């Protein structure tokens, strides 16, 4: 029997973070869970492509738009299950056991508990809020998404948009999302550069504006400035 999971990672100049992400997946390969690795790249100008190639990934090239990159990557996948990760997210040791158990007993989609690669009160508080929000049905992309191909198709997949693609699919999966008892550790670099409070407030305001109907391209441009 072939391994059940296709891993899809959207990238854009991810040479520093991608090796850690891929290294964290090795226990899934050794456990016979991972069938293929698909890197959906948005035009990297660094060594991202070379790193992906060295790890044996299939590389897709297209314009930068995380939703579109994920849409294309998932469309290319052949596994019965899709595991979507951000390039700066590292699944922590033991994750494959929880995923194995989930595949054996549930047809729902799963998300991982968030932690940051920094210690301290601010990191714990922001991660705690993210995990609480997720239990109410709104995990973000940096918490990963494990979803069967059938369920992914039923909800229409990722929209081709540059921001909030994770919110769209989470809302489509409402009532069919469960927490996996494993940790996805993500980079705190942006929070450290911008300030934990400032970055967290900015994320929340962007989400509220999106819910209020703001244009997603405008939001994306402002978010990345």
């Amino acid at each position: 029997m072939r391994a059940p999971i296709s891993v899809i990672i959207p990238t854009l100049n991810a040479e520093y973070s991608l090796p850690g992400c891929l290294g964290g997946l090795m226990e899934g390969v050794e456990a016979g869970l991972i069938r293929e690795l698909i890197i959906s790249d948005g035009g990297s100008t660094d060594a991202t492509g070379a790193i992906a190639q060295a790890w044996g990934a299939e590389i897709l090239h297209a314009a930068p738009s995380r939703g579109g990159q994920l849409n294309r990557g998932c469309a290319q996948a052949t596994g019965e299950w899709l595991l979507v990760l951000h390039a700066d997210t590292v699944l922590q040791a033991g994750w494959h056991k929880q995923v194995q158990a989930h595949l054996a007993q549930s047809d729902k989609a799963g998300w991982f508990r968030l932690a940051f690669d920094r210690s301290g009160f601010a990191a714990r508080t922001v991660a705690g809020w993210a995990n609480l929000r997720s239990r109410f049905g709104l995990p973000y992309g940096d918490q990963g998404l494990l979803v069967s191909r059938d369920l992914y198709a039923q909800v229409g997949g990722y929209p081709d948009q540059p921001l909030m693609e994770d919110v769209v699919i989470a809302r489509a999966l409402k009532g069919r999302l469960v927490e996996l008892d494993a940790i996805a550790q993500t980079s705190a670099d942006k929070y450290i550069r911008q300030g934990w409070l400032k970055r967290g407030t900015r994320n929340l305001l962007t989400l509220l504006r999106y819910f209020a109907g703001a244009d997603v391209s405008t939001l994306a441009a402002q978010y990345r400035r």
Side-chain angles (χ1 to χ4, degrees):
M1 180 181 294
R2 293 192 66 188
I5 297 176
S6 296
V7 178
I8 299 95
I9 303 174
T11 56
L12 181 61
N13 294 330
E15 65 178 358
Y16 295 112
S17 58
L18 187 58
C21 176
L22 299 181
L25 293 171
M26 285 307 299
E27 66 177 74
V29 175
E30 294 166 358
L33 283 175
I34 295 178
R35 172 183 303 203
E36 61 188 348
L37 170 63
I38 298 172
I39 301 296
S40 188
D41 190 67
S44 294
T45 56
D46 63 2
T48 296
I51 293 168
Q53 189 174 37
W55 280 80
E58 178 179 357
I59 307 171
L60 306 179
H61 299 281
S65 169
R66 195 157 59 195
Q69 290 170 238
L70 287 172
N71 188 295
R72 286 184 288 275
C74 291
Q76 190 73 13
T78 63
E80 298 170 21
W81 286 79
L82 311 175
L83 175 56
V84 178
L85 290 175
H86 286 181
D88 61 355
T89 294
V90 181
L91 298 183
Q92 299 299 283
W95 68 265
H96 83 274
K97 296 179 181 178
Q98 305 305 319
V99 167
Q100 225 162 19
H102 181 81
L103 267 56
Q105 64 190 22
S106 178
D107 58 358
K108 293 185 176 182
W111 53 272
F112 299 88
R113 289 200 308 276
L114 183 71
F116 287 101
D117 60 358
R118 297 290 192 279
S119 59
F121 176 77
R124 291 194 301 271
T125 300
V126 173
W129 154 247
N131 293 324
L132 178 63
R133 180 197 67 231
S134 301
R135 292 180 186 115
F136 285 93
L138 199 60
Y140 285 175
D142 51 13
Q143 292 165 267
L145 179 67
L146 178 69
V147 59
S148 70
R149 286 182 61 84
D150 289 344
L151 182 52
Y152 177 82
Q154 286 175 31
V155 301
Y158 285 97
D160 188 352
Q161 60 188 55
L163 193 71
M164 297 292 169
E165 78 292 332
D166 45 2
V167 171
V168 172
I169 199 165
R171 295 175 81 183
L173 288 166
K174 184 177 180 180
R176 291 178 285 185
L177 273 167
V178 296
E179 178 181 352
L180 300 172
D181 188 18
I183 294 174
Q185 185 183 82
T186 195
S187 171
D189 286 351
K190 292 177 182 178
Y191 283 91
I192 292 170
R193 286 200 306 268
Q194 298 174 17
W196 288 91
L197 180 59
K198 182 178 179 180
R199 177 77 184 185
T201 301
R202 185 183 187 190
N203 289 348
L204 179 58
L205 290 176
T206 301
L207 178 65
L208 293 175
R209 290 178 63 198
Y210 177 73
F211 283 160
D215 176 71
V216 70
S217 296
T218 300
L219 286 177
Q222 294 173 344
Y223 181 79
R224 292 182 176 129
R225 277 207 295 267

